[in-house]
Amino acid sequence: MKEESLPKALILKTKKEFEEVFQKGKRKSSGNLTIYCYDSEEPGLKFGFLVDKKIKKSVPRNKLKRWLREIVRKNKEKFSSGQKTIFFAKREALEKTIWDLYADFEKLLKE
């Protein structure tokens, strides 16, 4: 099971890291998903996962984060080294499937 998960070293953890990406990064948005990308000088990839605060219940909120982590885990080779990326799922994503989120993810990467 552990081999299938996204390594902890690839996840943004601190508020400072998130703020850096929000302030210096570029924003791309689609129907259910927003991506903030920042190319830093640091080697390696870093990903952050956020869900709209309007989703009050923890179960659906965590489900969306798990879906995003899985999508990124299977597609992390599409990102360049030194890139920090935050994925933000909007409230409307609750009504969608993981495949709809994946389609939005692919669409945003092509932009």
Side-chain angles (χ1 to χ4, degrees), residues 8-70:
K8 298 284 185 197
L10 296 182
I11 296 181
L12 292 171
K13 293 178 182 83
T14 65
K15 184 176 182 179
K16 183 179 176 183
E17 289 177 312
F18 276 91
E19 286 177 354
E20 177 185 33
V21 176
F22 281 129
Q23 290 173 358
K24 297 179 182 177
K26 294 179 183 172
R27 187 177 93 183
K28 299 177 188 177
S29 190
S30 73
N32 306 307
L33 192 62
T34 301
I35 296 179
Y36 296 87
C37 297
Y38 171 61
D39 294 323
S40 69
E41 289 79 36
E42 299 174 23
L45 296 170
K46 289 279 194 167
F47 301 104
F49 304 95
L50 298 174
V51 177
D52 197 347
K53 284 185 178 179
K54 294 177 186 172
I55 302 173
K56 299 294 182 194
K57 303 280 183 178
S58 63
V59 172
R61 200 172 52 237
N62 292 333
K63 180 178 83 169
L64 284 175
K65 285 192 260 186
R66 279 194 310 270
W67 283 0
L68 290 173
R69 281 194 304 268
E70 180 65 12

